[in-house]
Amino acid sequence: MTVSLTTAILALASAPKGVLPYIRQHFLDKTFQGLYQVNGFDLALLIPYFIVLIILAAYGAHRYWMVYLYYKHKKNKTTAPSAYFEDLPRVTVQLPIFNEQYVVDRLLDAVCKLEYPREKLDIQLLDDSTDETVVVARALVDRYDALGHPVTYLHRDNRSGFKAGALEEGVKTSKGKATI
């Protein structure tokens, strides 16, 4: 016994507990009409709430899109560079500082960890400091120099040009073709 779709819809609509009574009871009922009125306080809470809700939904959709793109392009591999240097150039790394006593140790440590041949590297610590950073920086440069790192220390008494001026002074004594 087969029942067509139209007969099923008509049976649902004419039944006492069908779709039309449900719609009539839940959406067209006027029993509680006029009991609640929207005021300014409700709007002051609801408008920002829904704005934030929309922003978070857009952010979530963006995250899903990024995950989709990741899995879509996951098989794409990067290729090796087309050419390598035959002979690496000499490079100068300049580190301008001014009264940065607590930074200079981490800075020099990070630069000395560069994976570059030491004979092709020149590290300049360009110091314009006027406080105890001068003593700390000199001691650090001496320590790293004793460990075999190519570190030099340049101190200026005048701060003309500030850190850019220190970089300009360092270029005069740099040994590298490329300066970082």
Side-chain angles (χ1 to χ4, degrees), residues 88-138:
L88 291 174
R90 185 162 186 88
V91 175
T92 300
V93 179
Q94 295 181 319
L95 308 170
I97 61 170
F98 174 70
N99 293 346
E100 300 173 45
Q101 175 183 356
Y102 302 107
V103 176
V104 68
D105 185 27
R106 289 176 290 158
L107 181 65
L108 267 176
D109 185 49
V111 171
C112 287
K113 288 181 181 176
L114 283 175
E115 293 181 15
Y116 204 79
R118 287 187 184 177
E119 64 275 358
K120 302 273 186 169
L121 186 64
D122 180 29
I123 302 171
Q124 292 181 339
L125 186 64
L126 310 170
D127 188 13
D128 288 349
S129 298
T130 57
D131 64 352
E132 58 273 357
T133 305
V134 175
V135 177
V136 173
R138 283 182 199 251

Side-chain angles (χ1 to χ4, degrees), residues 67-78:
V67 168
Y68 164 74
L69 289 177
Y70 169 75
Y71 283 113
K72 180 181 176 184
H73 299 291
K74 187 175 162 182
K75 62 186 173 288
N76 298 349
K77 301 288 183 196
T78 57

Side-chain angles (χ1 to χ4, degrees), residues 7 15 27 31 35 38 65 76 90 97 131 133 139 143 169:
T7 341
F27 298 107
T31 307
L35 286 178
V38 177
W65 181 252
N76 298 349
R90 185 162 186 88
I97 61 170
D131 64 352
T133 305
R143 186 178 87 198
E169 288 291 321

Side-chain angles (χ1 to χ4, degrees), residues 3-21:
V3 179
S4 71
L5 185 59
T6 347
T7 341
I9 292 174
L10 286 175
L12 259 173
S14 61
K17 296 285 186 185
V19 175
L20 291 177

